[in-house]
């Protein structure tokens, strides 16, 4: 029989060795890839979960392109009309994941600003650009037009693109800059009489709890939202967070992905990407 103290030492050595090997293997590309794919498999095995009922996505999709018959980018007066329609439909928060960084037609810009001012619950997207060099790291932000930023909250959709091109992680704060998601959540809570208290964990990268593949969350087309009283069920936007952004249904090749379209853990089974 092995003495008790020697048995404890042996178990401790085995545990240390196993931990060390795990740390080594997870740093190797092959084993790191296995770990990532294992996480994807867990999502697929779990399956799609019920989507949050307080969120509706308004998709700038192929159907809308065909119905509106205009090339992208669309006139900002059209976005102004959408905001007014969503405000009339009693949307609680309107998140526009569209970057309005450059001036367009003066009247169009003024109309968009006025619509956002009237709604009073719009969140706009900015863009975070990071240049990494062996000698330096440069971070810059591309903001919406000042006139628009003055009448809306602004946040950047910060995500982490893994080595295999899949988005699995994100965070809510970066260098004290609130993300688009955090600004939307803050606006929603403020509209319901609550306050969003930031936490140090918001700076940490966390695994995104995907509810399912693309369009698991209730999604309607942009052109339908423009005429929601005729084309959509009554009350669809009432008291909801409405997120507006590009959403393509087709599955492009990895090297041809648009800047706001990403692979997720469900992409390999569903055959679809997810908009940012």
């Amino acid at each position: 029989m092995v003495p008790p103290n020697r048995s404890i030492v042996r178990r401790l050595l085995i545990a240390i060795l196993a931990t060390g090997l795990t740390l080594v293997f997870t740093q190797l590309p092959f084993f790191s890839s296995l770990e990532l794919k294992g996480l994807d498999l867990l999502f697929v095995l779990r399956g799609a979960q019920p989507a949050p009922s307080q969120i509706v996505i308004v998709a700038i999709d192929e159907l809308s392109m065909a119905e509106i018959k205009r090339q992208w980018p669309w006139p900002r007066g059209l976005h102004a009309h959408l905001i007014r329609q969503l405000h009339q439909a009693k949307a609680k928060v309107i998140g526009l994941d569209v970057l309005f960084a450059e001036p367009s037609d003066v009247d169009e810009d003024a109309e968009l600003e006025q619509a956002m001012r009237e709604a009073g619950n719009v969140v706009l997207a900015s863009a975070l650009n990071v240049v990494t060099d062996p000698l330096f790291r440069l971070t810059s932000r591309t903001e919406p037009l000042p006139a628009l930023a003055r009448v809306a909250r602004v946040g950047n959709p910060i995500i982490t693109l893994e080595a295999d091109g899949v988005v699995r992680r994100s965070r809510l704060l970066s260098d004290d800059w609130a993300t688009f998601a955090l600004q939307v959540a803050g606006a929603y809570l403020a509209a319901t009489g609550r306050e969003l208290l930031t936490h140090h964990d918001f700076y940490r990268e966390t695994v995104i709890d995907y509810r399912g593949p693309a369009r698991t969350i209730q999604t309607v087309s942009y052109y339908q939202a423009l005429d929601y009283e005729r084309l959509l069920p009554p009350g669809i936007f009432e008291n909801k967070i409405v997120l507006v952004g590009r959403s393509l249904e087709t599955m492009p090749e990895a090297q041809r992905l648009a800047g706001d379209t990403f692979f997720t853990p469900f992409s390999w089974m569903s055959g679809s990407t997810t908009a940012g």
Side-chain angles (χ1 to χ4, degrees):
M1 174 180 283
V2 179
N5 59 333
R6 290 182 60 186
S7 177
I8 293 173
V9 171
R10 180 177 296 176
R11 292 176 184 175
L12 182 60
L13 289 175
I14 292 173
I16 293 173
L17 179 61
T19 301
L21 290 174
T22 300
L23 291 174
V24 170
F25 287 150
T26 55
Q27 299 305 311
L28 299 177
F30 174 74
F31 289 99
S32 295
S33 178
L34 281 181
E35 181 186 19
L36 296 176
K37 294 307 179 187
L39 178 60
D40 294 350
L41 181 60
L42 291 176
F43 274 109
V44 173
L45 292 176
R46 186 203 67 183
Q49 300 292 297
S53 60
Q54 70 269 36
I55 302 175
V56 178
I57 293 175
V58 172
I60 301 170
D61 54 10
E62 291 92 345
L63 284 174
S64 298
M65 297 284 184
E67 289 290 331
I68 293 173
K69 297 182 175 62
R70 297 291 296 266
Q71 288 187 335
W72 185 263
W74 291 334
R76 290 179 184 174
L78 189 65
H79 297 304
H81 179 56
L82 176 70
I83 291 171
R84 290 193 172 101
Q85 290 292 87
L86 295 175
H87 181 55
Q88 177 180 294
K90 300 181 180 179
K92 190 70 73 176
V93 179
I94 303 169
L96 276 172
D97 189 10
V98 180
L99 185 60
F100 301 111
E102 300 293 334
S104 68
D105 179 82
V106 174
D107 293 336
E108 296 275 347
D109 288 346
E111 187 176 355
L112 179 58
E113 178 189 354
Q114 183 60 31
M116 290 169 53
R117 188 187 305 277
E118 292 169 359
N121 62 351
V122 176
V123 179
L124 293 178
S126 62
L128 187 66
N129 307 299
V130 180
V131 178
T132 303
D133 185 89
L135 299 178
F136 66 90
R137 185 174 185 271
L138 178 63
T139 301
S140 61
R141 292 179 69 184
T142 303
E143 298 283 359
L145 294 172
L148 302 181
R150 283 194 293 268
V151 295
R153 296 182 183 226
V154 179
N156 176 258
I158 297 177
I159 59 170
T160 299
L161 193 64
E162 308 269 15
D164 59 354
V166 178
V167 174
R168 299 181 181 88
R169 294 175 174 83
S170 182
R171 60 181 181 272
L172 296 177
L173 280 173
S174 176
D175 298 327
D176 292 327
W177 293 341
T179 63
F180 184 75
L182 192 62
Q183 292 284 40
V184 169
Y188 180 76
L189 291 175
T192 55
R194 291 172 286 174
E195 183 179 358
L196 178 66
L197 300 177
T198 57
H199 191 272
H200 68 275
D201 284 344
F202 287 180
Y203 288 96
R204 299 178 183 176
E205 281 193 337
T206 58
V207 175
I208 299 171
D209 183 15
Y210 285 101
R211 311 307 292 170
R215 302 202 173 221
T216 295
I217 296 174
Q218 185 176 19
T219 302
V220 302
S221 291
Y222 189 107
Y223 83 92
Q224 293 175 309
L226 289 174
D227 192 8
Y228 73 92
E229 291 179 306
R230 187 172 65 90
L231 300 177
L232 294 174
I236 186 171
F237 298 125
E238 187 171 354
N239 296 321
K240 301 293 180 65
I241 295 172
V242 182
L243 302 177
V244 184
R246 296 183 67 180
S247 179
L248 302 176
E249 294 183 2
T250 54
M251 180 73 162
E253 297 176 12
Q255 66 270 26
R256 295 181 180 176
L257 283 177
D260 56 358
T261 306
F262 304 96
F263 291 115
T264 76
F266 286 96
S267 293
W268 314 114
M269 294 297 293
S270 68
S272 63
T273 54
T274 297

